[in-house]
Amino acid sequence: MISFLFIGVCACVSAPEVIWVDGYDASQDRVSLPTSGEYGVWIWERDDASVSFALGDKEFASDQVDKPKGRYAWRKAGSATFAQGSLNVKLPPGLAAIVLSTNPDYNPAAAMQHIRSTDRPEPVQDRRNTVCRDPYTYFTLPTFQSRAAWETHAARLKRHLLVSSGLYPLPERTPLNSRVFDAISHDDYIVEKVTFESRPGFLVTGNLYRPIGDGPFPAVVCPHGHWEAGRLEDSERASVPARCITFARMGMVAFSYDMIGFLDSKQLPHDILEPVGKLWGIHGFGLQLWNSMRAVDFVEALPYVDKTRIGCTGASGGGTQTFALYGVDDRIRAAAPVNMISCSMQGDCTCESPPLIRMDGASSIDLGAMMAPKPLLMVSATGDWTAETPRVEYPAIRGVYALYGAEDRLESVQFDADHNYNKASREAVYRFFAKRLLNEGERYKDFVEPEYHADPPDSVRIYPGDAVPEGYPTGDELLQQIKEANRAKIEAAFPKDTAGAEAFRVKYAPAFADVFDAKIPDAGSLQIERARRYGFKREAGVVSERLVIRRIEVGDGIPMILYRPDDAEQRDAVLIVDGDGKAAQADLAEARPGELIRALLEKGLCVVTIDVFGLGEHNGLMGPPVPRAGGPFLDTFEPTDTACRVQDVLTSLAYLRDRRDFSGKTALIGIGDGGLWCLFAGALDKQVQRVAVDVNQFPNEDDEAWAARFYIPSIRSLGDVCTAAVMLAPRPVLLCNTGNLFMAEPAQAAYKASCGHEMEVHGEPVSVETLAAWCRQ
């Protein structure tokens, strides 16, 4: 990795040699010695332990100290002559670290104060590593004290739905090129085949069931669930044709359409959920949501439909699509999600649990409540995950309706059945829509579903058997087409001048924060822990502090080392974020801060280094890297590793501004992978004065590289580094080590258009002196 400068953690490039090895790493690998010579050997272990170990053919031992305190301490185990090259290591359990140095007076305890914030080898406790929500986590709906509080929450949920789905802002509503054909006439209703293009070349397929006559009629869009036969499921457990036929007989138009990958929708498989696609907001849920919105476009354009009376109903996965649709589309005037609004199951299919939508603890209860104050019927069953609806979900959502004085528009009914959209459930829905869309509640208050006869499947199928529509893109070709449309949409939105930049920030800044689940902590919301030994130290005119910073509500942990001149002057601060962790910024051979830290201190600046999530002290010295707790659909419920790292930068910045011995002015330096973390953090935190970014020659147009190194759902559809550049303008930004990639054209153009001047760009790494001088400007 090329960075601003090279600082080796394990070896210094000049004599004396110093080699640091964690206990776990030493037990797994051989130690490499750069030169031959006499090496002192030090170990970090509990002071009440006695250990024996071997390095090559040399045996070493250490004895318990006279007055042990049960804490970890450095002890010299002896010295020996070793030849250059690889050295076999045999360490006992419990030995935290080992150091070899050709300097007989080396002091590893002093050096460690510049690489570790804690006095123990265990990983820093971070709740993000151990707690993971998933579709089966039990959720509750918060209590909202005012309509304004709820509407703020609902607006954020709507934005999450759209951002997750690559629909922020909404795509162009391109021509539907709809076809309604092959009518089958019955005595009291008509069934027709339908295709239309929700996007150019992407077909929505289904059937239209309509009453006899000219209308205008209400319309109901009907997404189906994961029934084996999809929109043509006709069983005792669920019958989509029965529902649609009955709606048409009652005087309502019903449009039943395929979910992606079912029946006649054959251009893409149902389970689309790949990391590269998610970078662009492309997955089954989002594609279906746009299909549903275009389904509303289709039915409201029919000459016999009353566009002011459009409803939606579906069960199971169709229930998820129902509340997702009314969550983003105000044209839905009444809705009946069946057997899906639940406190204990959030949908375990790729079409129901896309990235981002359940951040902040949001569940289908929150999404279900987004219908308020319009009419909503909650249908539940005793035999599935909606069993608690009458006493849990319904009262929770009723509390939201109460904010509008609209409790009478919310209804709930439960049936003693397994997961279903059976006859009893359908009859409840018929009566509801009769009251809310037909305005004939009294007439239908005791309505029961009449006998029906569904048309043979092949007579209403559009592409029977395995036929695929000819002349339309499929698979990767279609996904690439959608990606390019998303790219063109964001590129067209980039500002052309400073006035456009401000409008762009207003629109995109909240969405940009959403994909990181980013929050700048308030003063007083942080818990600060200081190391018990040498947590505060004065040395050579510099004060150092070893800390762990936590957001109290979250329970995360950020190891931090802070340096400032030893005086009473309030000084500006520089936060260094290194992709190799804060240890990379230490000069271990001399047991002191590294060159960059010293240069910044000489400029009169305070300097802070941290280990962001997953790096450095987030892992213990005596065990393998700490795995993150993970469940199905992790990025649906929890921020990604990259998002956590950006959040750690934001949290650290907030802490530095809150310190009374600092001026409140902060700058960021990102090194290696830390470069992009700081770029994004600086974009999200408007109080950062300047940002220096080691681009590390990252190939910005390589989706695979984004997915592997900086995975953030929908980041590419929101403009990634170009949007960050607009949000950073007009603050000074320095980019180095760009190579021939990254910022040279699009992001530089976006930045310049936003503020009138350019970022400082260097194709190669810059010197420590240049960087320190730039930070002091």
Side-chain angles (χ1 to χ4, degrees), residues 595-674:
E595 185 181 5
L596 178 57
I597 295 173
R598 299 198 309 274
L600 292 167
L601 286 168
E602 289 171 3
K603 295 292 184 182
L605 296 165
C606 301
V607 189
V608 179
T609 62
I610 60 173
D611 285 330
V612 296
F613 182 71
L615 300 184
E617 291 183 81
H618 287 275
N619 299 296
L621 300 183
M622 297 185 293
V626 176
R628 185 176 184 182
F633 311 107
L634 179 65
D635 57 8
T636 302
F637 299 89
E638 307 292 347
T640 66
D641 287 358
T642 297
C644 289
R645 290 162 182 164
V646 172
Q647 177 62 59
D648 287 350
V649 178
L650 295 173
T651 300
S652 299
L653 289 167
Y655 167 69
L656 299 181
R657 284 194 295 266
D658 196 39
R659 283 183 64 120
R660 290 179 174 83
D661 55 344
F662 288 6
S663 69
K665 295 180 180 179
T666 53
L668 274 174
I669 297 175
I671 299 175
D673 283 355

Side-chain angles (χ1 to χ4, degrees), residues 677-755:
W677 303 333
C678 287
L679 180 79
F680 291 134
L684 294 166
D685 188 341
K686 295 185 290 185
Q687 297 184 72
V688 176
Q689 270 68 42
R690 54 180 57 226
V691 182
V693 176
D694 175 13
V695 176
N696 203 22
Q697 300 194 21
F698 178 69
N700 185 53
E701 290 305 313
D702 185 342
D703 286 342
E704 295 288 348
W706 276 102
R709 291 173 56 188
F710 300 105
Y711 172 60
I712 293 286
S714 296
I715 189 66
R716 300 281 276 140
S717 67
L718 288 179
D720 52 77
V721 296
C722 295
T723 295
V726 175
M727 294 169 66
L728 279 163
R731 293 170 285 169
V733 178
L734 182 150
L735 305 176
C736 82
N737 199 14
T738 61
N740 296 319
L741 307 164
F742 192 76
M743 287 277 192
E745 295 179 6
Q748 182 71 287
Y751 181 90
K752 185 175 181 179
S754 300
C755 63

Side-chain angles (χ1 to χ4, degrees), residues 6 22 76 123 176 181 215 223 270 273 287 292 347 360 377 411 442 445 500 515 556 622 759:
F6 179 81
D22 295 347
K76 190 170 184 179
L176 290 172
F181 58 102
H270 185 67
L273 200 68
L287 296 174
S292 293
D360 292 334
L377 172 63
E411 302 177 39
E442 187 63 27
K445 67 179 182 179
V515 299
D556 48 10
M622 297 185 293
M759 297 179 284

Side-chain angles (χ1 to χ4, degrees), residues 434-463:
K435 178 167 57 175
R436 302 299 183 175
L437 293 180
L438 284 174
N439 299 318
E440 295 186 50
E442 187 63 27
R443 175 184 172 186
Y444 285 96
K445 67 179 182 179
D446 298 317
F447 181 75
V448 296
E449 181 181 272
E451 184 179 357
Y452 71 93
H453 296 283
D455 294 297
D458 281 354
S459 69
V460 291
R461 286 283 304 274
I462 297 163
Y463 305 107

Side-chain angles (χ1 to χ4, degrees), residues 270-513:
H270 185 67
D271 55 347
I272 306 168
L273 200 68
E274 296 300 323
V276 166
K278 290 190 287 184
L279 292 167
W280 292 94
I282 298 173
H283 42 71
F285 175 91
L287 296 174
Q288 289 185 176
L289 181 56
W290 183 239
N291 284 357
S292 293
M293 297 177 76
R294 299 312 312 269
V296 177
D297 293 344
F298 166 71
V299 298
E300 75 169 6
L302 295 171
Y304 45 81
V305 166
D306 180 353
K307 65 175 63 178
T308 67
R309 293 186 290 161
I310 296 177
C312 182
T313 184
S316 192
T320 298
Q321 275 296 304
T322 297
F323 56 68
L325 176 61
Y326 67 63
V328 300
D329 197 325
D330 292 336
R331 294 174 296 176
I332 302 300
R333 307 308 300 173
V338 176
N339 293 359
M340 202 59 232
I341 296 178
S342 172
C343 63
S344 58
M345 211 289 278
Q346 306 305 309
D348 57 1
C349 177
T350 58
C351 73
E352 297 180 271
S353 290
L356 304 176
I357 69 166
R358 292 185 172 92
M359 296 290 187
D360 292 334
S363 71
S364 61
I365 312 176
D366 303 65
L367 299 173
M370 293 175 73
M371 191 64 184
K374 293 178 289 185
L376 175 67
L377 172 63
M378 300 172 64
V379 181
S380 59
T382 60
D384 71 4
W385 46 84
T386 60
E388 297 180 88
T389 293
R391 69 176 188 85
V392 177
E393 294 90 346
Y394 170 66
I397 294 179
R398 184 177 172 84
V400 174
Y401 273 76
L403 297 173
Y404 296 88
E407 297 95 323
D408 60 328
R409 297 179 190 170
L410 177 67
E411 302 177 39
S412 173
V413 60
Q414 186 173 76
F415 298 99
D416 188 10
D418 293 332
H419 194 58
N420 74 90
Y421 203 158
N422 61 19
K423 185 172 183 288
S425 296
R426 295 195 298 273
E427 289 173 343
V429 173
Y430 300 146
R431 297 166 194 149
F432 171 76
F433 281 132
K435 178 167 57 175
R436 302 299 183 175
L437 293 180
L438 284 174
N439 299 318
E440 295 186 50
E442 187 63 27
R443 175 184 172 186
Y444 285 96
K445 67 179 182 179
D446 298 317
F447 181 75
V448 296
E449 181 181 272
E451 184 179 357
Y452 71 93
H453 296 283
D455 294 297
D458 281 354
S459 69
V460 291
R461 286 283 304 274
I462 297 163
Y463 305 107
D466 296 326
V468 177
E470 295 183 1
Y472 291 92
T474 60
D476 290 343
E477 180 185 0
L478 178 55
L479 294 175
Q480 181 67 23
Q481 181 177 304
I482 296 170
K483 185 180 88 169
E484 292 306 320
N486 285 355
R487 184 198 303 273
K489 180 177 64 171
I490 187 61
E491 288 180 350
F494 287 140
K496 308 299 186 291
D497 51 37
T498 54
E502 185 54 34
F504 181 89
R505 293 184 194 106
V506 169
K507 186 176 187 67
Y508 282 91
F512 211 63

